[in-house]
Structure formats: C-alpha cells, structure tokens
Amino acid sequence: MKKLAWFPEALFNSYAQVFFSNNKWFGIILLALTFVDFNVGIHGLIAVSTALFTGYFLGLHEFNVRQGYYGFNSLLVGIGLSIYFQTGPLLLGLVIISGMLTVFVALAFEGILGKYGLPFLSIPFILVIWILRLASRQFEALGLSERGVYILNDLYLLGGKFLVNMYEWWNQIPLHTSIKAYLLSLGAILFQQNIFSGILASIGLLIYSRIGFFLSIFGFYIAYFFYQLLGVPFTEVSYSYIGFNYILIAIALGGYFIIPNKSTYLSLLFIIPITAVVGISLQQVFNLFFLPIHAFPFNVIVLLYLYGLKFRIDNRIGLSTIFWQQQSPEKNLYNFINYQERFGKESPIPIYLPFYGEWSVTQGHNGAYTHKDDWKHAWDFEIKDEQGKTFRNEGDFASDYYCFDKNVLAPADGIVETLVEDIEDNTIGTRNLEKNWGNSIVIKHSEFLYSKLSHLKKGSILPKIGDKISKGDIIGKVGNSGNSAFPHLHFQLQATPFIGSKTIDYPISDFWMRFQGKE
Amino acid sequence: MKKLAWFPEALFNSYAQVFFSNNKWFGIILLALTFVDFNVGIHGLIAVSTALFTGYFLGLHEFNVRQGYYGFNSLLVGIGLSIYFQTGPLLLGLVIISGMLTVFVALAFEGILGKYGLPFLSIPFILVIWILRLASRQFEALGLSERGVYILNDLYLLGGKFLVNMYEWWNQIPLHTSIKAYLLSLGAILFQQNIFSGILASIGLLIYSRIGFFLSIFGFYIAYFFYQLLGVPFTEVSYSYIGFNYILIAIALGGYFIIPNKSTYLSLLFIIPITAVVGISLQQVFNLFFLPIHAFPFNVIVLLYLYGLKFRIDNRIGLSTIFWQQQSPEKNLYNFINYQERFGKESPIPIYLPFYGEWSVTQGHNGAYTHKDDWKHAWDFEIKDEQGKTFRNEGDFASDYYCFDKNVLAPADGIVETLVEDIEDNTIGTRNLEKNWGNSIVIKHSEFLYSKLSHLKKGSILPKIGDKISKGDIIGKVGNSGNSAFPHLHFQLQATPFIGSKTIDYPISDFWMRFQGKE
Amino acid sequence: MKKLAWFPEALFNSYAQVFFSNNKWFGIILLALTFVDFNVGIHGLIAVSTALFTGYFLGLHEFNVRQGYYGFNSLLVGIGLSIYFQTGPLLLGLVIISGMLTVFVALAFEGILGKYGLPFLSIPFILVIWILRLASRQFEALGLSERGVYILNDLYLLGGKFLVNMYEWWNQIPLHTSIKAYLLSLGAILFQQNIFSGILASIGLLIYSRIGFFLSIFGFYIAYFFYQLLGVPFTEVSYSYIGFNYILIAIALGGYFIIPNKSTYLSLLFIIPITAVVGISLQQVFNLFFLPIHAFPFNVIVLLYLYGLKFRIDNRIGLSTIFWQQQSPEKNLYNFINYQERFGKESPIPIYLPFYGEWSVTQGHNGAYTHKDDWKHAWDFEIKDEQGKTFRNEGDFASDYYCFDKNVLAPADGIVETLVEDIEDNTIGTRNLEKNWGNSIVIKHSEFLYSKLSHLKKGSILPKIGDKISKGDIIGKVGNSGNSAFPHLHFQLQATPFIGSKTIDYPISDFWMRFQGKE
C-alpha cells in the first residue's frame, strides 16, 4: 500500500483548505466535525476520495493532489449535495460523478486563471453545485432531503438530550438581529445555517487567527450598515445566504492575500460595499434560475482585486500582496515585518551563488546543449584555470576536474524540499540518461521560489528533507551524476518543488552582477 | 479560374468535417444527401460558399480554408436556418450574413482555444444559430417553415410513391422506444429527426467505422440507463434533441481523440453520465430563452476532458490522446499499435539529423542572425575542415563549399507535404530576399510534426508531393537558394505544413545529443 | 501640488475619449456640455475623479491614467447613474464605488483583451452599469430620478424661456421617422435621448470629421433598411436604445480602426446587418433581465472583426488596420496615404541603425549579461579596431573608447517622447545601479513603436520633448551614464514610451541585414 502513502495528507489538506489552511490536525478536526451529521460526513468523504483518486488515476502530479486544492472543492460539492438531497444509491452516484467533474473543472480553471497568476479559489465547487442543482430538477427519482429533522436526531445520538437542548437554547438566544445574521452567515460557509454552528465557527476562527476574527466582524458590519443605508430588504436568514461573502472577503483581502495594516483595513471600507453591490446584482440574475449565488461574489471580487493590483508600478498606499503564504494573517504579517527588517525591502528574496570563489558559466541561459525551453534559465558552473581548461592532467578521472568535490552552498535561506541522493557518479565521458538530474537538492526559499542544485556527488548531501538551512551552509559537493559527462554544477531557480520543474528567470543578487564584471 | 482551384476541396471537406473526416468522396456524398431536401441543400451550399469566399477575400491562409473547418460550421448554420425558416430572399440574406459571422466567430475561438491547444469543434455553429434564432423572433417578415409537408413532397419528387411509402413505413416500425430514440438522435445530428434518416446515418456510420458504430450505441445506452435510473422524464422525441450529444461524445472520447481500448470504454461509464448531468443542467438554463442546446454539452465536455488530460504527468490508466489524427478510430488504433511495435513507446516520434557524417551548427537556436522569434528553433548546418573553414580555395564558388551538393536525408518517416523546387541557386555572397527559403521540402511526420529542409540545390529534390519516404532516404542536395549567401542546410521542425511556418522546439533523437559530445 | 500635475490632462482626456479623441479642448467642451444638466455634470465629474484618484493611489502607471481610458468608462457610469437615480448622498456613494469598480474591471479587460492585442473599448462601463442597475432594484432608499421635469428647469436656468422654447420646438419638428431616430440615437450616446441633443451632436461630429459624419449616416441607414426588410418592429424611441450601435460601428470600422476606402465602406454593407442581428439577439436575452444592451453589440462586433482581421496573411481586399492612431478618420487616411507615398508599402516602419559606419554588437538579443527577459530584444553597440579592442591606450578613461562621444542618430522619423539628461557619466569600471538606463531618449515612430537610446553622454542630447525629428538627425553622443561600466550605446525598440519599457522584436531594415554580411 506504499502507493497510497499520499492519501492521508491529501485527505486532511482537502478539509483544511476550506479555511485556507494546510494544517494536518486542523484538517482532521474538520473531517470529524462534518460527521456531526453522519450523512454529510460520509458524502463529503466520498466526494473528496473520488476527487483524489480521480487525480491519482488520471496521473496528475502527486504534489498538486496532496495539496488538497482539487479535494477541497469536491468536499464542498459533496457536503452541499448531501444537504440538498435524500440519501440513497442515486445520491451516491451523483456525488461520485460530481467529484470527478469538479476535478476537471478545477484543472480548467487552474490552466486559465494560472495564466493570469491567479488562484481558482472555490469556483469549481460553485459551478458544479449549480450544474447539479439545475439538473436535479429533472431527477424525479431523487428526493429532496428533510434535514431539519435529522440534525436533532443526529445531535441526540451524539450527546443525548443535553446536546439537543443546548442546540435549541443557542438558537433561541435573544440576540440582536445583526449578531444572529453574523453567526448564521459564519455557519453557512459549511452549509450549517444555525446559531449553534455559527458560534462554534466563530470560536474556531478566534483560535486560528485574532486578526481573521476581527476582520470577519469588521467586514460583516461594513456590509450590514451599507445594507441599512441603501434600504436593502434584510432578514437574518436571507442575508446569511450571501453574508458570508463579506466575511470571507474581509479575511482574504484584509489579511490573507494582503499583509494586514491600516491601508488594508481602510481599503475594506470600499471593497465591502463594492462586493455588496456586485453580490446583490448577481443575486438578481441567479434568482431567475432559482439558484443561490454561494461564494461567487467573493470569488469575483478577490480575483478582480488581486489581478488589478498586479498592474501597479508603485505601492503608493502600502497594499503588499503576500509573497510567501504562511496560511494565517498573523504569520503573514510577522513574516513580512521580519523580512523587511532583515532585508530592508519587500521583495525579491536575494539569491546568491552556490559556491565560493570564481567559477565559470559553461552553459548559461538558453544554452546550446540542454538548457532549452523549460530549462532555459539555468546555469552550469565549472572552475577553469588560466588556460581556460577545466581539468588537470588528461581529464580522464573525475578528480582531475577542478570543480569536482568542491563544496556546494545554500544560495539563500530555506527548507529542504526534495532530495535525490542515491545515484552513482558517472565515469568521465559517460552519462546517465535515465536519471537526468542525478543527485539533486531542491530548497524552498519562499512560496514559488525554489532552487535546485544537480549532478552532486553521491553521498555528499548533508541536509535531510525538511531541514532548515541558511544562506551559505554547505549542502553537498560537486559530482558527476545524472546526465553529466564531466563534473559540473547545475544551478537553477524554479517555482515548484520538483526535480523536473521548469526554471524561472529570477535575478541573482548584486554580487552576481558585479562578479560578471560587465553589464 | 486557377485562383479558385482550392474551392472544390474546401467545399467537400466542409461537408466531410461534420463527421470529423476529410475524405473527398465522403464529402461529395454528404453534399448530395443534403439535397434530398432541395431547400436544405441549396442553403447549406450557399452558407458554405459564403464562408469559404469570406475566408478567401479576407486573405486567410488557404490551407485553413481548404481544411473545411470554417465551412463546416457555416454548413450547419445554413442547414439549420433553412429548416427553421421559410425560403425566400430574406432567408437567403440571413444565410449569407450568418455564413460570414460564423467565420469571424470561428477565428475568435481558433485564437482563444488555440492558446490552450484545443480545437473549436462546433462552437461557432452553436453560437451563431442561437444568435439567429433569438433575433429572428423580431423578424416579422420571416416566416417559420412548414417542413413536415415538404419532406414528403421532396421524397415523392425523388423516388415517387415508393420512397414516400418506405419513409412512412420506416417511421412506423414498432421499435422499442430506446431504439427509436437512438435513431432519431442519430438523424438529429443533421437536423433530420426521423427514423428513416437515423437508419441511413447508422448504416453510414457502420461503414465508416465499426468501432464508431459500437461506441455510438454504447454511449447512447449508458445515457439511456442513467436517465431511467434518475427518473428523468423521457420521450424519444424530446430526448433526441439532446441524445446525439451522448453518441458524439462516445465516438469523440472513445475512439476519435483517444486511442480506443478498455480504459477508454470504461471511462465512458463516467463521462457519459457527467455529460448527461451537464446537458440536462444547461437545458434548464436555455429553456428560459426557448433555445435548444444543440451539441453544446458535447463541446463543453470534450474540451474540458481533453484539456484536463493535458495536466497528466503519468499515463497511469492508458488513456492515450491521438498523436496523428487518422480520421477514424480504427486507423487511429492501428497506427498507434503499429507505432508502439516499432518504437516501443508512445511518443515522441524520433527525429534524426538530415545528413551523413559530422557537420557543424553554424547557427543554432535563437541565432544571432536570422533564427529569431518565430524561427528560433532552427539549425543551419555546414561542414568544416580542421581549421574551422567551411570552404576550400577562396570560397568564391558554391562548389568550393564542403557541404555543397552533399546529400540531404529524410530525418524520419513521413509524407512529402510541400515542395518548392524552381529557385535558382545564388552566386556566392548574394542572396534572394524575395524567396527567403529557396528550394525547400516539408515532410509530415505526424499530426503537428513537420520538418523543413531549405536552401536546397535547384533540381536536386527527388520526391514529389504525397510521396511516402522513410528515415534516411536521400531527398535532395545542399544548395544555395533563397536567403542564403553561402551554401548551407537549414533544418527545422514545425507544427504546420507551410514554407513559412514557425518552428517548434522538438527533441532531436539521442544520436544528436551524443553527436554534440557534451551535455 | 506638483504631484497632481497629471490631473487636468487625465480629466480632459477622459471626456474626449468618449469620442475616441485625446484633444484637450474637445474634452473641455464635452465637460462643459455635461453641465447643461448640473446633476449629470457633477456626478460625471465625481465619477471621473474617483477613477483617476483610484488609479493614482493604487499606483498605476501615470501614463495610462493620463490617457483617460479608465476615466472615460467611469464618466459614462457616473452620467448613467445620475440619469437613472435621484440625487442625494446615496447616489453620491454609489457613484464613488462604481468609479472604483470600473477601474478594476477596466484593468481586468486590459489584461485579458491585451493578450489578444485588442482594446477594451466601453466594456467596463457596460458591465458596471448593468451591475448597478440590477443591484439598485433592491435599494429601497434610492429613488428613481424624474429627469423629464429637470431638463426643462435646467434649460430655463441656463437660457431662460428662449432656450426652453427652442428645445421644445426642435423636439416637435415634423421630421421623417428615420431622421428622428438618427438624431435620438446620436443623442443617446451620451444618454440624451432628445432631438435637440441629437442635432448638437451631429453638428459636433461634422466638425470633428466629415468622414465620420458620413459614416454615421451611412451606417445608420443600412441598419434602418435592414430593419424594414426583416420587419423588425420599429419606433424611433425604442430603436434609439440600440441605434447608436450602428452609428458607432460605422465610424469605428469604417474609418477609425480601419483606413477609410471603398472596401471599408462596402464591408459595412455586411457588418451593419451582422451587428443588427447580433444586437437584436442580445436584446432578447437582456430583456429577460430588464436591462438595456447599451453599446454591447458595438463592442462585440468591433472586437470580433478586429481580431478576425489579425488572422489574415494577405490583405487581398484592402482593409488596412490603423498602424498609428491619429484620432480621426481624416488624419488616419492622410497619414496612411502619405506613408505609402514615401515608403511604398503599408508597414512596418523601417528602422535604421543609429550611427554612421561600422560598429560591433557586443551584446545582442538574449544577451549573456543584462539583455534578458523583458529586455531580450536589445543591442549594445561599440566600435572595435582591427584587433577587436574597443579602446586605445589602457582604456582607463572614457575618451580612450572608440565609440565615446560619437554621434547618435535618429533611427527613423518620429517625435521625442521621453528624455533623461541629467545623469553624470561614470568613471570607467564603475556603474550607476540607481539610474539603470542613464541619459536616454525615447522616440515615438508610430503607435506602439518607440525606440530608446541609452547611456548617452551628459549634456549631449539635442532635441527636447515633443520635437519632431527625422531619420538620421543627430540626437546626442555616446556616453557612459547609468548601468554602464564602459562607453557603449544601448539601442532597443519598444511598444510603450517609458524609460523602463520592455523591448519588442522588430525587424531592422535591409541595410542592417546586409551590414551583418551573412544570413
């Protein structure tokens, strides 16, 4: 069963991603919570599993499957369907094909939005649930669920009369209509439109992030007062069908995708009313089809805003988009401040040369031999003597080469993400076309910034996967493994953590430019 | 009339493309069949002709016009309009402007979907017919047709009482409701929703491809049982408005775009129900506008599926997309098996160097002189002596150059697609800027993989257009024609068969890598 | 207030852009005209200002903000809202957030359509006004305006009983229904659906461009007769809600985006009916949402047509798209004819080398050092002696370098767009990383074609911003300013007028190819 080793991580991530997190334990807790209503839990689990296995059998990259992006959208579809429809083999079948469809829709949006550097958020979920709800009107064999009855039964089974009483007590607390609407909206994120679930969710949010909790209230009340101002008809129940959009957008654009600060909070004073107008407008259109709009306004405005910010050439008012997603507003803020203190400016992360002394680039960007296309932004380094030779004697042995066995350094701070270390070094003049990159190390420096050092000497790599390393740490020695006929060091920067990732073109720090000695 | 030499081929292809074919005779038969109903035939012909001449006068590439992609969509629009509306000058005018509009819509989708490596299928037809049907509600001068009466008249004119009787007999056969629905669905592909047309179409399909015929039934019945299971209201007539989607998608994803095998058939068990859900869902939306959805679900799912498969890094379950479209499932399968037996793996097709011995690359990828941008993945080859010189004596004559008059070889198996062979060789130091590529040969190795060899010696090219040639065949000699001041061989790989096509970056086989002697 | 120096120009351009113009005085007149109805004027002004300051505070490129593209869409939104709704603080708030939203929508379309080389026209306005009108149905506190009453009041305040009488007299002239519809349609472009405004607008149009005026009538009547032919229900009032589409499209595709000639006029005979069909069709869809379609058909057809023309490989029928937008059909035509007479072919503009004699390219396209990525299509030039050295003596002083202080020439006719001339030349071996490009000049040769010459000698630049210069004019001398350690000339072509613009790959004229002496 080693082949399925990826499954648990992918499963838990699929749950945690609902709240933008990739914390394993958070995922496990959420999985457990969905089983408060057994039918919801089981159908959610089936939907996630379907999506994950669809990804696996299709042959998608395991990394992407493990991150839970596809699974999280399918999870929401599965939960949604189990809440709308009666359980039974028909629902089961629909959940399975919906899980598959969600993966393909997610891939399409990954491809399309990816071209614009944007995430696909929960768009696949929304599209698929719309499709299913429209289609299901023709499914006469599929009954609508009567969930109102079941939840009390389920609670009774879980915690007896006490839990049922508590549930009902909470739901009857004489709260201000706006507070009720806030709690209902929070619960509605996971289709649990009741006060009790709202309170649980708000406690969870407070634990996860105080900034996030503050933002949820801040965003909600901006929208609430805007509604009052404009005289939009308001009941807490109907409002909660759209209200979570304001909560989600406040968290997303107030602290998750943007570093939280005064400008960010101020910007919400405009973003939330815009979201409200767009949301109310879209609702008018979807009413015609008797469809709820779910988090569609949230998706639209987040994409529009993040994309618009990319057109800036000047960060005049201090809206800094996240460079390295830390999965919580607090951590993002801390990381950002920390980074600024150390490097004095926001980005990019400076990358240094991975060796001491003076080496020669024997194959640069868009090299004549192998650095083409996807690997065009890579360098091969060797050491040359005054005659320009890279070896002593006849060059028949690896040890004749000046660069062989020299120390390879970490080009910047980071975490070891991927390692290959069991490949024999080639004898001079031969190459290993099976294992192209030979012994290699991939280091994560930030979100979307990894460096790879390849053709290292077998047995020379010092750190292990997950190790934190600092700029200049010795991480291995130059070797002759992989598709390498002569010892040399292959160095490249890439946006993904794989051995076979494409290169990106990233500026090497000033030192490098000066080292070149010429413009 | 030499200028219109492209027209007949373009015309017949426009008909054959309805069934994904580019067989001239199949096109002629289909053209004839549309004339069973004269009005349908003539309006279809006018629509196609309009599209083709629009393409011609606009100045689109003749190759694309000839393939029939634009014409085929216009054909469907023309047929559709002639079935919905009364004949007359108004209809004629509408057919003409619809034919033009279809070309522009097709170009837009060619551009947009082309960026994702996807075909535009019948999307232009569907969009334009929707536009016309919506608009026509305001056209009070345009009457609806009363086709039911005409068809019998037309049949009577064609084959007398016998044909009319046969038509009516067929339509009254006591068939199982599902068989009737199958036949109506088949006929509906060409707007002929009657049993008789369905039987004709099924016979045609059986002749064209047994796999295709099997798939049509397989796909249809998966959908049929899925409908029964879900209790979707079913009458054979209403079903046939959407049923051909399942037939088309089974053929497309079961054998036309994907190599038919067990995995492919199995995958239909999921794809067809997904298509059904999406189709029923879309129908709900379009009902609001009183529009039929035509083959829209088919288009959506084919694009979604083919695009999703592009994200695979591992063909774990054996879904192999077509590398070289043979225009029928059988031929695709045969070609695929044949290919695997010979080369042991699916792709890519190995390409070898087009000469014997050791040559030098005097201008490689992204060359300093002319190999830029669209032609950046090209090589110039010359022969050098030990001093690095490319010629003997003073180099004043073509014959002084070592590479001049040397044999040029086919770099892989293929078919000669394009030839230029009437261009004089230049005297040394001059160049022909009018005929940039000089004498050239373009060889098709597979769908989207062509090689071009240029600047050949006048009169040296051996094969003719359409000739099948094998790897290593001598095809001509190095010359000095075109934009070439000194004899050399220009070699490039490209995705389209034109002399002026852009290059693609395609790996040259192992031999080439080793020849380079270094990574 | 120097920081706001860009504001007046941006403001006036935002008004002028409604009629595709960037004439300051035209903008001022239009601004004044909107104040005929004070409420319309003030809300329009607020909307534009909001958009401009949103752009400014976001940190968008000042150039784009100044062009008025974002402002013009917001202006229309502001005017539209002030006409539909009652004045008051609520409307004010909506106008402000709509102005912001319009900027983000415009950026999104700039990014998306920009990838296809297409302008975003008035799509942002249309989308935002739709959103607002849909949403406002829920805004119970926001009243609808009763504009019919106000306009007479406003006129009375402006010009007393005389103006009111004139207004009413005009509106009651017994004109042919088609002329009334034409005038109402013209007025409707700025939401002024009355005869009086239509007459004013037609006079303005006649002054702006006789070709434009002719096209407006030509386009209008093609549509009018097409409506009659098809029996589309016609009243001048309802027609004017869509009629301006035909006027706008005739101007846009008859003379503004395409050089006006016989083919262009002829093409309108097909384009206008196509636009009518698409327009009537879209109206059916939007009726369901009780939304007007505004200029949506115009936008759709212009984009579809301009994009389709890009697929041509042969301009067989003489439809020449504008290469250098002159902001009026007459000027476009004149410029085009003038250009053809001088250069004998349509495009591209020939660019010559910016110096006398023989220089060496020391860093070409995709250079090893700094010419990467966005700057990959650039050249560095130096002068070398027979030994390949670029300097005499030891090369310790700038004056030792052969190229230093040599004349730099204008590579083609153009206008000086950007200048940097106050940067000290570096001593040999040092470089100024703060001011990367040093003293530089950017020359506009045509729309989307600029050349930049950099690292010039301080004080050597002769022309001033706005100067017209001819090919071969001496414009400065080679220096050593900016990121330059040794004197050399940096030369690049770019599509935008900024010092930091990306390069484009544009062919240098024949001379250059021959100069290279080899393919």
Side-chain angles (χ1 to χ4, degrees), chain A residues 116 229-233 270 277 281 284-285 288 307 309 311-314 316-317 366 505 516 518-519, chain C residues 56-59 61 90 100 107 111 115 131 134-135 138-141 289 363 369-370 373 431 483 488:
Chain A
Y116 298 91
L229 221 67
L230 285 169
V232 179
F270 300 100
V277 168
S281 180
Q284 301 295 312
V285 174
L288 219 68
Y307 188 53
L309 292 186
F311 286 79
R312 299 178 300 166
I313 58 162
D314 186 355
R316 188 166 276 136
I317 43 171
N366 250 328
D505 196 22
Q516 288 284 322
K518 189 162 175 331
E519 185 190 4
Chain C
Y56 173 77
F57 283 116
L58 268 183
H61 208 299
L90 281 189
M100 290 176 172
L107 289 174
K115 282 199 201 299
I131 289 171
L134 281 170
Q138 296 281 314
F139 300 166
E140 292 177 355
F289 303 95
Q363 201 189 155
Y369 307 118
T370 52
D373 263 352
R431 45 183 75 230
N483 184 6
H488 71 283

Side-chain angles (χ1 to χ4, degrees), chain C residues 54-68:
Chain C
T54 302
Y56 173 77
F57 283 116
L58 268 183
L60 300 183
H61 208 299
E62 197 184 299
F63 177 83
N64 294 326
V65 175
R66 271 198 306 194
Q67 287 301 300

Side-chain angles (χ1 to χ4, degrees), chain B residues 393-404:
Chain B
N393 309 324
E394 301 301 306
D396 288 341
F397 302 98
S399 55
D400 285 349
Y401 289 76
Y402 300 123
C403 67
F404 185 73

Side-chain angles (χ1 to χ4, degrees), chain B residues 56 58-59 373 431 483, chain C residues 281 312-313 316 505 518-519:
Chain B
Y56 173 77
L58 268 183
D373 263 350
R431 47 183 74 230
N483 184 6
Chain C
S281 180
R312 300 178 300 167
I313 58 161
R316 189 167 274 136
D505 196 22
K518 191 167 171 330
E519 184 189 8

Side-chain angles (χ1 to χ4, degrees), chain C residues 309-329:
Chain C
L309 292 186
K310 286 177 197 277
F311 287 79
R312 300 178 300 167
I313 58 161
D314 187 354
N315 187 3
R316 189 167 274 136
I317 43 171
L319 290 172
S320 306
T321 46
I322 300 295
F323 196 66
W324 185 358
Q325 186 52 264
Q326 303 289 323
Q327 312 278 356
S328 106

Side-chain angles (χ1 to χ4, degrees), chain C residues 224-334:
Chain C
Y224 177 75
F225 286 117
F226 188 68
Y227 271 54
Q228 302 299 319
L229 221 68
L230 285 169
V232 179
F234 184 92
T235 69
E236 64 263 30
V237 175
S238 73
Y239 181 78
S240 64
Y241 278 106
I242 190 172
F244 56 78
N245 277 285
Y246 311 124
I247 292 175
L248 287 174
I249 211 152
I251 297 175
L253 299 183
Y256 186 78
F257 288 116
I258 321 262
I259 302 294
N261 64 21
K262 268 185 212 165
S263 294
T264 320
Y265 301 153
L266 217 74
S267 71
L268 290 179
L269 290 176
F270 300 101
I271 295 169
I272 299 282
I274 288 175
T275 310
V277 168
V278 171
I280 293 165
S281 180
L282 288 170
Q283 224 176 2
Q284 301 294 312
V285 174
F286 282 87
N287 277 348
L288 219 68
F289 303 95
F290 303 102
L291 288 175
I293 55 169
H294 298 288
F296 194 50
F298 160 75
N299 280 277
V300 169
I301 298 295
V302 167
L303 293 178
L304 206 57
Y305 192 68
L306 291 181
Y307 189 53
L309 292 186
K310 286 177 197 277
F311 287 79
R312 300 178 300 167
I313 58 161
D314 187 354
N315 187 3
R316 189 167 274 136
I317 43 171
L319 290 172
S320 306
T321 46
I322 300 295
F323 196 66
W324 185 358
Q325 186 52 264
Q326 303 289 323
Q327 312 278 356
S328 106
E330 276 78 6
K331 290 188 197 150
N332 283 337
L333 178 58
Y334 171 79

